[in-house]
Amino acid sequence: MMESIARERETEKIGTDVGDHTENISILQSIFLGLQQVLAMDLFIPPMVLAGLLSFSVTENALLIQMTFIACGIATIIQAGIAMKLPVMQGPSFVPLSALAAIGTTSGVGAMIGSLIPGALLIAILGYPMKVFSKVVRKFIPPIVAGTVIVVVGISLMPSAINSIYTAQGSFGTNMFIALITAAVLIFCMYVGEKSKTKFRYIKVASVILALGIGTIVASFFGLVNFSSVGKSAWFQMPSIFAFGKPTFNIDAILIMLAIYFIIMIETTGTWFTVSKVTDEHLDDKRLNGGAFGEGLGCFLGSFFGGTPVTGYSSNAGIIAITGVKSRKPIIAGGVILILLGMMPKLMNVIASIPSVVINSVFAILCVVIMMNGFKVIKEVPFTERNMLVIGVSIMLALFAVLMPANILNGLPNLVTYFVSSGTAIGAITALVLNLILPQKLEDRGVATKMTEVSAKVN
């Protein structure tokens, strides 16, 4: 009996060390659950939006999606398998889209790719060997800052999505009709999936795919769908490094991306705490630093394929909560599936052929979801005058940047242009600075959050 107890304690210790529950998940179950995680990610939206902002062709768009899948698969395996050791799926972040587009259109795609490398290495080094990332999180990223950043991301990207619907191929009336149908399908699926207590609850997982499919069918009746590139593409193709050209290193582009990377880390830290809560695993300093190392390494390797910076996807925490499976095995299987899908150019060309009006209709709704998720974080913070200034001024300055006239923006130095082009960067840095310089009283702190609770346990 003593041996049995010892074995149980050893099992618990191992489970705690590696951050994984000792669930007996078969390979087939892992593949099925991993595929479900992949379907819930919608990770092809950011590269498609970026491709549109960079005026890429359908072929280039497909290649960017392909490389993004591969980069996210590698990053997921690194994060879940060896770095953070929590079931965290990695996907392309929405945060840097505006800044990357500004760099790509102003200084070229090579400068855009080169700007990703130094920041990724810095994030990794802050995790290991320096082990200071956890201290930065405890000090500078309280819920009011994290929530405001998420709100700013949604609000900053929304005008781009709406404007792209107006300017998409097709007449104004046609575009508005297609956008309305696409958005309505997405909202319906999300609502039914959220409210249903039966098997229809899984419709939420496939809501984006259903909306894109139905929107594309509607657009085809107006002659806006062209799948000619699909027939010309191969079924299987190995990934290529620097497919969009060799990186060049522009100091202005690198500096703005350093700031953007820090904002991405604010975004992904919120996801880590969500996953930690869902899986009942403590997010201590070791895991925070491991997560920074894994994210930085994933972004670094992803830059070789031309993919956008990766981040932890909070939507996957919802899948874990629904299925109750907290093992890392399905997440690692999902990473492998992403890599395999990224080696299928024909599939990527199908995705790239979806009309921009359909993509941006879905993107606009996702911006709303992102924004409201930020407000869900903020609602735990008291709406005192001080806190309202931190939140409100950050949103206002983000909108100032987003709505700046093109003739003024084009007359600014490159570094300022890159920075101002990202409303997210303006809003996030404003939130960080205001939260530091505005005096904070006891009534401004409000209810203790999970982040402070974990910090108290660790310290």
Side-chain angles (χ1 to χ4, degrees):
M1 181 169 178
M2 293 298 293
E3 292 179 358
S4 176
I5 293 173
R7 280 196 300 269
E8 289 177 4
R9 288 179 176 174
E10 185 65 23
T11 300
E12 290 174 359
K13 182 178 184 297
I14 292 171
T16 302
D17 287 343
V18 301
D20 195 14
H21 290 255
T22 54
E23 296 172 277
N24 186 20
I25 306 295
S26 68
I27 294 177
L28 287 177
Q29 286 175 317
S30 296
I31 293 172
F32 174 77
L33 292 170
L35 180 60
Q36 184 172 247
Q37 292 282 357
V38 169
L39 292 175
M41 293 183 74
D42 316 322
L43 78 167
F44 46 83
I45 300 292
M48 292 189 76
V49 171
L50 179 60
L53 294 173
L54 294 172
S55 300
F56 275 7
S57 66
V58 173
T59 302
E60 291 172 323
N61 187 358
L63 183 59
L64 182 59
I65 299 169
Q66 180 183 350
M67 295 299 104
T68 300
F69 270 64
I70 293 171
C72 292
I74 294 172
T76 296
I77 293 172
I78 291 172
Q79 191 70 292
I82 63 175
M84 195 174 207
K85 296 184 178 179
L86 278 180
V88 178
M89 290 290 293
Q90 299 289 103
S93 174
F94 286 90
V95 171
L97 294 181
S98 299
L100 288 175
I103 295 169
T105 53
T106 304
S107 302
V109 176
M112 183 188 80
I113 296 171
S115 70
L116 300 173
I117 296 174
L121 290 175
L122 177 62
I123 294 296
I125 292 170
L126 288 176
Y128 285 107
M130 293 181 67
K131 300 182 181 180
V132 298
F133 180 76
S134 59
K135 295 181 176 62
V136 174
V137 170
R138 311 289 185 197
K139 177 72 175 177
F140 296 108
I141 313 179
I144 188 171
V145 173
T148 300
V149 168
I150 297 171
V151 171
V152 165
V153 170
I155 290 177
S156 299
L157 293 174
M158 208 178 296
S160 173
I162 295 171
N163 185 61
S164 295
I165 294 173
Y166 288 142
T167 58
Q169 180 186 5
S171 66
F172 172 77
T174 298
N175 289 343
M176 293 307 297
F177 177 74
I178 296 170
L180 179 62
I181 295 296
T182 304
V185 171
L186 179 57
I187 293 170
F188 174 79
C189 291
M190 291 173 65
Y191 182 80
V192 170
E194 184 70 27
K195 294 297 182 182
S196 178
K197 304 296 183 183
T198 65
K199 60 183 179 181
F200 289 106
R201 68 183 184 274
Y202 293 107
I203 198 173
K204 184 178 180 181
V205 175
S207 57
V208 169
I209 295 175
L210 289 172
L212 291 174
I214 294 174
T216 301
I217 292 171
V218 173
S220 68
F221 291 116
F222 297 92
L224 298 180
V225 181
N226 182 3
F227 287 115
S228 60
S229 64
V230 178
K232 301 175 184 177
S233 57
W235 280 104
F236 183 83
Q237 178 182 323
M238 292 295 291
S240 54
I241 295 177
F242 299 134
F244 298 95
K246 293 182 179 180
T248 58
F249 297 96
N250 180 307
I251 186 63
D252 292 341
I254 289 171
L255 288 174
I256 185 59
M257 282 309 301
L258 286 174
I260 294 292
Y261 266 117
F262 186 71
I263 297 166
I264 293 172
M265 294 310 295
I266 297 175
E267 174 194 28
T268 199
T269 300
T271 296
W272 295 347
F273 277 94
T274 302
V275 172
S276 171
K277 181 179 179 181
V278 170
T279 58
D280 299 318
E281 293 281 356
H282 290 310
L283 191 58
D284 55 17
D285 285 359
K286 182 178 180 181
R287 281 211 176 99
L288 282 171
N289 290 326
F293 175 76
E295 187 121 335
L297 184 58
C299 290
F300 173 71
L301 294 176
S303 66
F304 283 73
F305 298 103
T308 62
V310 297
T311 184
Y313 263 36
S314 58
S315 59
N316 297 95
I319 302 299
I320 294 171
I322 290 172
T323 62
V325 178
K326 303 171 184 179
S327 171
R328 290 180 294 137
K329 293 178 183 178
I331 303 300
I332 295 172
V336 175
I337 291 170
L338 287 176
I339 294 173
L340 293 176
L341 290 175
M343 296 180 183
M344 299 178 183
K346 199 172 284 292
L347 175 61
M348 300 299 107
N349 274 272
V350 170
I351 297 173
S353 298
I354 297 174
S356 63
V357 63
V358 176
I359 288 293
N360 284 287
S361 301
V362 170
F363 184 38
I365 300 298
L366 292 181
C367 288
V368 173
V369 174
I370 292 170
M371 177 182 68
M372 298 314 298
N373 280 330
F375 281 120
K376 284 171 66 177
V377 176
I378 291 174
K379 75 176 182 179
E380 303 297 333
V381 179
F383 268 49
T384 61
E385 185 172 352
R386 183 256 186 200
N387 291 344
M388 286 192 292
L389 284 173
V390 172
I391 300 165
V393 173
S394 301
I395 293 173
M396 180 192 71
L397 291 182
L399 288 174
F400 256 99
V402 171
L403 300 176
M404 182 175 290
N407 61 323
I408 297 177
L409 188 64
N410 294 335
L412 298 174
N414 278 349
L415 177 60
V416 180
T417 300
Y418 299 153
F419 187 68
V420 175
S421 295
S422 174
T424 299
I426 297 288
I429 292 173
T430 301
L432 283 168
V433 172
L434 288 179
N435 187 64
L436 288 174
I437 66 175
L438 292 181
Q440 190 176 38
K441 299 178 181 179
L442 187 61
E443 60 266 27
D444 298 319
R445 299 179 185 275
V447 181
T449 63
K450 281 291 181 185
M451 188 179 295
T452 55
E453 290 173 9
V454 172
S455 180
K457 289 177 182 178
V458 172
N459 298 325

